[in-house]
Amino acid sequence: MSSMKFEILVGPPGCGKSNMMRDEALANPGLYLFAFPTNVLIDEQFESFTKAAPGVPVIRIYSKNNRRATGERLHEARRQFEEKDNRSHAVILATHETIKNNSIEEFANWHIRIDEAPNSVQSGSANIETS
């Protein structure tokens, strides 16, 4: 099993964590994988991303109204941005559950941002397997 390091932004609800991470991602082109606790927050951030930067492709991945597995769609989106589109700036928005339940080893070169501390976090660190 390999390990990946990433930071989790924590703070009280409504203090602007999501907006701060979005603004950072828009100001610094790259490939970003965001994990959010709810579909509602993903939808809000999707609207904010597309409004603030209509040229940056953003994909939402969660199970609502879609029969395909979230893990399959997560890795398909990564391949689309890295291989097919050869993008230098793109964003994938997924749920904590999608990130926890699927290998994210292929995202080692991406900027990974986790909004709100998921259940797997204890004492400021997270152990999420990548294999």
Side-chain angles (χ1 to χ4, degrees), residues 16-98:
K17 296 180 303 295
S18 301
N19 295 338
M20 188 170 96
M21 290 191 306
R22 182 193 65 242
D23 292 346
E24 176 195 13
L26 293 176
N28 300 290
L31 299 174
Y32 289 85
L33 172 60
F34 281 80
F36 294 100
T38 67
N39 296 355
V40 171
L41 191 51
I42 288 174
D43 289 340
E44 288 174 7
Q45 286 302 307
F46 178 82
E47 294 299 323
S48 294
F49 266 105
T50 56
K51 189 176 198 179
V56 176
V58 182
I59 292 178
R60 292 178 279 196
I61 297 177
Y62 51 69
S63 58
K64 180 182 172 183
N65 298 329
N66 197 315
R67 293 180 182 223
R68 290 184 49 226
T70 56
E72 177 185 336
R73 293 183 1 246
L74 178 68
H75 294 288
E76 181 180 286
R78 183 202 58 80
R79 283 190 301 274
Q80 174 187 335
F81 290 148
E82 283 185 357
E83 299 166 9
K84 182 181 173 193
D85 293 348
N86 197 23
R87 296 272 181 182
S88 61
H89 199 186
V91 177
I92 297 174
L93 309 174
T95 61
H96 289 174
E97 290 302 313
T98 296

Side-chain angles (χ1 to χ4, degrees), residues 1-5 128 130:
M1 173 177 63
S2 62
S3 69
M4 295 169 58
K5 288 185 85 172
I128 301 174
T130 60

